[in-house]
Amino acid sequence: DIQMTQSPSSLSASVGDRVTITCRASQGIRNHLGWFQQKPGKAPKRLISAASSLQSGVPSRFSGSGSGTEFALTISSLQPEDFATYYCLQHNSYPLTFGGGTKVEIK
Amino acid sequence: EVQLVESGGGLVQPGGSLRLSCAASGFTFSNYGMAWVRQAPGKGLEWVSTTSASGGNTYYPDSVKGRFVISRDNSENTLYLQMNSLRAEDTAVYYCAKYEFDSSPLEIWGHGTMVTVSS
């Protein structure tokens, strides 16, 4: 199985900050990676597919990068509605595996 | 508008069974792969199962293989998850999710249904 190591597990940031979350795959997954946002009590929402393709309707302050084993989600200027937990997902092979999550909190 | 509505969750004793349903609307259900993902209380996301558009191919992690069965009724636009031999560690919110295309999973999610396994 492919392990996804996500870091940090949590971070505190201020509105306007630039935030980067990383995911490392235990083996190469090409660009078969998605990023998801989850707010408390709500279903996850896909932000990015294919490592860097922004979903329709997702603000352009979100961006994804990487290929192979190293990936990043960047929020260029953190907004109040971005405080949430973020997960990466590899779908290069079954079983699909998620990263452990990153909780983004208000500083 | 694409909508996925899960139902069938509840309280079940260890060793019991439960069948979850996911009613789909707003898209041509028979054209898309579908999946179940769960989240134990206070924990992260765990993929549970995937079925191809036709239902001919199904996939499971080892944690549920042999106990859970994913199926679909394309005439009724409904996805199912039959869960047998339930354990306390199966307690979670269960979400159904639609694939965008074969290599692009979990594009759209339902709101989830809670399953509690306890005596």
Side-chain angles (χ1 to χ4, degrees), chain B residues 48-116:
Chain B
V48 170
S49 187
T50 287
T51 177
S52 62
S54 67
N57 294 302
T58 58
Y59 307 88
Y60 307 91
D62 287 346
S63 59
V64 307
K65 195 175 294 182
R67 300 189 299 124
F68 289 12
V69 178
I70 190 171
S71 62
R72 63 192 297 160
D73 184 338
N74 284 344
S75 66
E76 294 291 332
N77 294 339
T78 303
L79 177 73
Y80 300 102
L81 185 68
Q82 178 67 44
M83 304 186 294
N84 302 322
S85 302
L86 283 161
R87 307 166 180 166
E89 54 265 35
D90 296 318
T91 294
V93 175
Y94 285 74
Y95 298 99
C96 69
K98 169 190 173 289
Y99 274 57
E100 182 179 10
F101 44 85
D102 281 355
S103 60
S104 184
L106 314 185
E107 176 198 16
I108 304 291
W109 297 59
H111 59 84
T113 187
M114 183 70 203
V115 172
T116 302

Side-chain angles (χ1 to χ4, degrees), chain A residues 37-51:
Chain A
Q37 177 193 64
Q38 187 179 32
K39 297 182 179 178
K42 300 294 187 183
K45 171 188 173 183
R46 194 172 75 172
L47 301 177
I48 286 170
S49 62

